[in-house]
Amino acid sequence: MSVQITASEGGIPHDTLMAVGLIGSIVCLYLTYLNGATGTDVFSFFGGLAAVFALIWGTDTIKHLCSYGIGTGVPSAGMIAFGTGVIAMLLATQFDGMYLAPIMAVVIGAIVGFVAGFLANNVMNMNIPVMIRSLTEMAIIGAIVIMGLTAVMAGGFGFDALSVTMVQILGPLEATSYASSLLGGCLIAVAFMLGGIALQHPFNACLGPGEQQDRTLMLAAECGFLSMIVVAAISFAFVSMFAAVISLIVAIAGWYYTYAKYIELSRRDAYAWLNAKPILEPKGEA
């Protein structure tokens, strides 16, 4: 029998965060299809924004799951999310030609996550009331995050785009190469780890009696943009210089804003926890 431990009270309901995260990430993933419609790859940065939406939702999901006394299981939850999510993401790429890859990632992720949650509760006897729902959500989140970060690096998420690139041979001659592709170079593993750390870190860092939802979610957004900076830098090897620069600018701007807001919220909660007045800076600002 598990016991729920409430990490913090109030704030935005989880169902609302799930709806915003799911709809926001799906819309952003579909906006990356503008690359094909316009014959460019400048809209790749929408994949990173999709990952940020999903990570904010996923951080609250982990908080709900780990409120049942498995706080040390936060890293495990992040790895399960992306282990099941990568299966859903790779299978969903087969539907890219029909513009169904984002939707199929959600559907396949839900199936894989439900099976993982059912096995955890009914075979491993973990008996956590929110286990099946949480693992279902996290498999979807893992698939969306990997798909979004992949879109930033490769400009899309079709299997052919991920597995084959064109390389020049003897000047004007070109040939296909698997080794220099995103999958051949194991860059999907980079997306896996960047997403996994960004998903599990925020609640792990803010966990405790002073945990506040807005501060935790702001850290989730900051970690998402930090991961986007890395994949935007990698994208210089796969997409046009202009598209990579746009992704990098969006990622840095998003990271700077969320980092500043996170520090502001951390100071607010530190003042409240210590029951002390803010220490004034030399210019008179807190």
Side-chain angles (χ1 to χ4, degrees), residues 226-283:
L226 198 58
S227 297
M228 187 179 172
I229 290 176
V230 177
V231 295
I234 293 173
S235 73
F236 280 90
F238 294 95
V239 299
S240 67
M241 175 76 74
F242 185 60
V245 168
I246 290 178
S247 294
L248 191 59
I249 291 173
V250 171
I252 291 175
W255 171 80
Y256 180 79
Y257 174 79
T258 53
Y259 174 77
K261 293 295 293 183
Y262 175 68
I263 294 299
E264 179 183 325
L265 294 173
S266 296
R267 287 180 173 178
R268 178 203 65 186
D269 294 341
Y271 299 149
W273 182 253
L274 295 172
N275 193 26
K277 295 181 179 179
I279 300 173
L280 298 179
E281 298 291 343
K283 294 182 180 179

Side-chain angles (χ1 to χ4, degrees), residues 117-284:
F118 180 84
L119 293 175
N121 256 6
N122 298 281
V123 177
M124 299 177 66
N125 294 321
M126 297 185 73
N127 296 323
I128 296 176
V130 297
M131 176 63 83
I132 295 178
R133 173 177 172 170
S134 296
L135 290 193
T136 301
E137 289 182 27
M138 286 197 288
I140 298 171
I141 291 161
I144 290 174
V145 173
I146 295 175
M147 185 172 280
L149 297 181
T150 297
V152 176
M153 287 189 283
F157 29 70
F159 191 78
D160 290 341
L162 306 183
S163 59
V164 177
T165 57
M166 301 298 294
V167 295
Q168 288 188 326
I169 301 175
L170 299 176
L173 299 179
E174 289 186 337
T176 58
S177 171
Y178 169 76
S180 59
S181 69
L182 190 142
L183 288 179
C186 297
L187 292 176
I188 195 169
V190 176
F192 183 106
M193 292 308 300
L194 287 173
I197 294 171
L199 180 64
Q200 65 195 237
H201 174 68
F203 183 60
N204 215 17
C206 298
L207 175 66
E211 192 267 343
Q212 295 294 325
Q213 186 195 55
D214 56 354
R215 177 163 52 93
T216 303
L217 297 184
M218 190 59 68
L219 182 56
E222 185 216 333
C223 291
F225 282 114
L226 198 58
S227 297
M228 187 179 172
I229 290 176
V230 177
V231 295
I234 293 173
S235 73
F236 280 90
F238 294 95
V239 299
S240 67
M241 175 76 74
F242 185 60
V245 168
I246 290 178
S247 294
L248 191 59
I249 291 173
V250 171
I252 291 175
W255 171 80
Y256 180 79
Y257 174 79
T258 53
Y259 174 77
K261 293 295 293 183
Y262 175 68
I263 294 299
E264 179 183 325
L265 294 173
S266 296
R267 287 180 173 178
R268 178 203 65 186
D269 294 341
Y271 299 149
W273 182 253
L274 295 172
N275 193 26
K277 295 181 179 179
I279 300 173
L280 298 179
E281 298 291 343
K283 294 182 180 179

